[in-house]
Amino acid sequence: MSTTNEARVVEPRTVEHWIGGASTPGGSSRRGPVWNPATGARQADVVLGSAADVDLAVATATKAFAAWQDVPLTRRAKILFAFRELVNAHVDDLARIVTAEHGKVVSDAKGEVQRGLEVVEFACGIPHLLKGEFSDQVSTGVDAYSFRQPLGVVAGITPFNFPVMVPMWMHPIAIACGNTFVLKPSERDPSASTLVAELWQRAGLPDGVFNVVHGDKEAVDAVLDHPGIAAVSFVGSTTIARYVHERASRAGKRVQALGGAKNHAVVLPDADLDFAADHITAAAYGSAGQRCMAISAVVAVGEAGDVLVEKLRERAAAIQVGPGVDDAAEMGPVVTRQAQERVAAYVENGTEEGATVVLDGRGLRVAGHEDGFFVGPCLLDRVDPAMKVYQDEVFGPLLVVLRADTLDDAIGLVNASPYGNGTAVFTGSGEAARTFQRSVTVGMIGINVPIPVPMAFYSFGGWKDSLFGDRHVHGSEGVGFYTRAKAVTARWPHIEQVVDATLHFPST
Ligand code: NAD
């Protein structure tokens, strides 16, 4: 006989697609787990979309594009302003969803939403951003002008580490420019995208302009191959970025594919070493090192080395690790069990290859959260460029320290890395900083700023294996990516002024 106390199997919540202004399960029976990284529990399932689901989203977005491209700029801007207000009013809700699925601490999740919001605010200026050019009287009675038009249906494929901010690098600008959008978020933390979709709808965006299809490789491949999608923005690891760039380009699409990173902080002996240690610690271990702009390698120049390593050790050892919802926690867990094991394996590997373990966060247990995916801060010194722990992007709370004799040697190390996302120099010398900024083959540079993420009114993007394609995201590059230009040469002759058509270019 069953009793009310009998254990009941509670089905986890299912995160569905958002197509045409409504939540829908789509036609695929495949589901993926959504973990709570702080507890290790499977808290939800996410629908893993099929090619048919992508097709439905693209058909819906195509239909919506017909009307949306003609919506006046001022009306689009009003919707953007309303969306801005709604996102601002839901910062806490979005942050809590991010923390529950990603694991980062709530204060950090709020910061991510704020940085996304700045792109929405930039996109509110779309009437100004889309102004064309005009040249009066380029020939007798002839004017020339150019203007930009949207591409059509565009897609975004995004990583787990910023489930609100990275999609917001894309959709506010794409939509403001008159495109319709299909987002394929990370399957590891998919829920924030549903709230974002609801906020767009409440802001007055017509149904079908912003759509979300969840999934993994199957959905991604369907996006890359779909003839109805004009452009793809991707952010994720380098292997997948390269693949996305090649496959979508082959299908004739415009592509920007941002990849992984190994961001170096070069510390010169004339730097304020306490300041450098404070900021590098925050940049290495914030969000458990799972930021594309995290500092993951320090290059200590000359006598800065030993002093700096001790200062880094002191600070890293003092970091409070705990569940993201705990106000006292400064660093949460990593995103999955595999990520936890991967970081541990790199510490092991670095040790075997001869690095000095200064701080070992493996085996950290957080009371009451023993099954969570926690790794404490790890610090390896005397790391060599040939070591795997240096060459690979670890994407966890693991900082490695290399030693260099001179600034030139340090710049050589930065430039030999296949990655070129971000880098920072800590110095008291303007001359050294200027040499550094001019010489490094890296897209985003900090001078005594460890995480130099450009503001929304600049563009974000790396060099080398950190970006495939020629346009960075947001800022004016984002507007350029999501539009194409038309150049018009116009004449309005009076009947008596009609000029005979000739086969040669006119010379007056
Ligand atoms: P990921 O490459 O595993 O996943 C990114 C997206 O690609 C996800 O939507 C995922 O579903 C999809 N994907 C994964 N495997 C695929 C496959 N085999 N075929 C097709 N699609 C696939 O990246 P992640 O682990 O979610 O995110 C972390 C990575 O993203 C890190 O490498 C980090 O440096 C990078 N990142 C870069 C930037 C940047 O601006 N350059 C910003 C954020 C994150």
Side-chain angles (χ1 to χ4, degrees):
M1 198 178 92
S2 74
T3 71
T4 48
N5 288 335
E6 198 173 60
R8 277 180 300 165
V9 178
V10 180
E11 288 294 321
R13 165 179 72 88
T14 300
V15 184
E16 298 187 332
H17 309 309
W18 181 275
I19 299 176
S23 184
T24 165
S28 163
S29 58
R30 293 196 308 126
R31 302 285 182 270
V34 180
W35 303 103
N36 179 338
T39 62
R42 182 177 182 149
Q43 58 177 324
D45 281 344
V46 60
V47 171
L48 299 177
S50 62
D53 295 338
V54 170
D55 201 38
L56 176 66
V58 175
T60 306
T62 304
K63 205 166 156 220
F65 177 67
W68 180 245
Q69 64 176 330
D70 284 338
V71 170
L73 281 176
T74 47
R75 171 82 192 121
R76 282 189 228 158
K78 281 198 171 73
I79 292 172
L80 261 296
F81 274 106
F83 180 61
R84 188 262 167 211
E85 290 305 302
L86 285 163
V87 172
N88 197 38
H90 288 84
V91 170
D92 289 357
D93 299 328
L94 286 163
R96 291 208 170 269
I97 294 172
V98 170
T99 293
E101 296 182 356
H102 174 288
K104 66 178 77 173
V105 298
V106 172
S107 54
D108 194 37
K110 283 187 197 172
E112 139 166 29
V113 181
Q114 284 298 343
R115 297 312 303 264
L117 201 54
E118 287 164 16
V119 182
V120 182
E121 288 163 354
F122 172 77
C124 286
I126 199 66
H128 174 75
L129 296 167
L130 279 182
K131 282 196 294 197
E133 296 173 311
F134 189 96
S135 298
D136 173 57
Q137 190 77 344
V138 293
S139 186
T140 305
V142 178
D143 300 330
Y145 51 96
S146 70
F147 62 100
R148 303 191 72 85
Q149 290 188 309
L151 306 177
V153 181
V154 299
I157 301 165
T158 52
F160 82 86
N161 65 325
F162 288 109
V164 172
M165 182 188 79
V166 168
M168 277 190 192
W169 285 352
M170 306 169 183
H171 57 82
I173 297 179
I175 288 172
C177 288
N179 302 280
T180 54
F181 200 86
V182 176
L183 173 64
K184 206 304 286 171
S186 172
E187 63 275 38
R188 292 181 223 159
D189 43 17
S191 298
S193 297
T194 307
L195 179 51
V196 168
E198 288 169 8
L199 298 180
W200 268 125
Q201 189 175 54
R202 286 173 55 193
L205 191 72
D207 291 344
V209 175
F210 178 75
N211 306 278
V212 182
V213 176
H214 294 291
D216 52 11
K217 179 173 171 52
E218 188 175 332
V220 170
D221 286 351
V223 166
L224 304 180
D225 295 343
H226 202 294
I229 293 177
V232 173
S233 300
F234 172 89
V235 177
S237 58
T238 286
T239 310
I240 310 299
R242 187 183 276 115
Y243 166 78
V244 164
H245 183 252
E246 286 175 7
R247 187 158 173 164
S249 299
R250 221 175 17 249
K253 301 182 198 317
R254 190 177 282 196
V255 194
Q256 52 181 183
L258 281 69
K262 194 85 181 180
N263 305 310
H264 298 68
V266 171
V267 183
L268 298 182
D270 66 3
D272 177 333
L273 294 184
D274 283 309
F275 177 89
D278 284 346
H279 285 267
I280 291 171
T281 302
Y285 302 111
S287 196
Q290 300 169 117
R291 292 176 178 146
C292 55
M293 291 289 277
I295 292 294
S296 48
V298 169
V299 185
V301 177
E303 70 265 27
D306 290 345
V307 186
L308 180 67
V309 169
E310 177 51 21
K311 289 181 187 296
L312 289 171
R313 189 199 61 76
E314 280 170 11
R315 286 156 176 80
I319 291 172
Q320 295 292 314
V321 183
V325 290
D326 181 347
D327 286 343
E330 297 171 290
M331 184 179 115
V334 293
V335 68
T336 55
R337 177 79 61 210
Q338 293 94 307
Q340 184 191 37
E341 290 167 0
R342 189 185 63 236
V343 178
Y346 273 107
V347 176
E348 187 63 34
N349 187 272
T351 315
E352 282 167 15
E353 291 195 317
T356 306
V357 181
V358 180
L359 196 63
D360 186 349
R362 292 174 294 174
L364 173 90
R365 292 281 168 272
V366 174
H369 291 77
E370 285 75 9
D371 292 330
F373 310 142
F374 290 96
V375 191
C378 302
L379 181 62
L380 299 189
D381 190 15
R382 305 266 171 208
V383 168
D384 191 85
M387 293 179 188
K388 203 169 158 48
V389 70
Y390 172 71
Q391 291 181 346
D392 294 354
E393 181 185 37
V394 177
F395 220 58
L398 167 55
L399 179 64
V400 301
V401 182
L402 297 89
R403 309 295 185 107
D405 291 335
T406 64
L407 173 61
D408 283 349
D409 292 344
I411 290 172
L413 267 172
V414 172
N415 290 352
S417 170
Y419 298 106
N421 215 38
T423 186
V425 64
F426 286 85
T427 179
S429 159
E431 186 188 2
R434 186 170 184 274
T435 300
F436 185 81
Q437 78 184 17
R438 296 195 71 242
S439 311
V440 287
T441 52
V442 176
M444 293 171 282
I445 297 159
I447 296 170
N448 297 313
V449 171
I451 301 197
V453 174
M455 300 298 291
F457 37 89
Y458 284 83
S459 298
F460 180 111
W463 285 20
K464 302 186 284 187
D465 285 359
S466 296
L467 184 137
F468 303 92
D470 58 356
R471 293 275 196 181
H472 291 191
V473 293
H474 64 64
S476 56
E477 298 247 326
V479 175
F481 182 77
Y482 291 122
T483 54
R484 53 187 166 180
K486 275 183 178 163
V488 182
T489 307
R491 172 189 286 138
W492 293 96
H494 296 300
I495 294 300
E496 63 273 19
Q497 287 183 339
V498 166
V499 179
D500 290 339
T502 67
L503 286 180
H504 55 79
F505 274 18
S507 54
T508 55

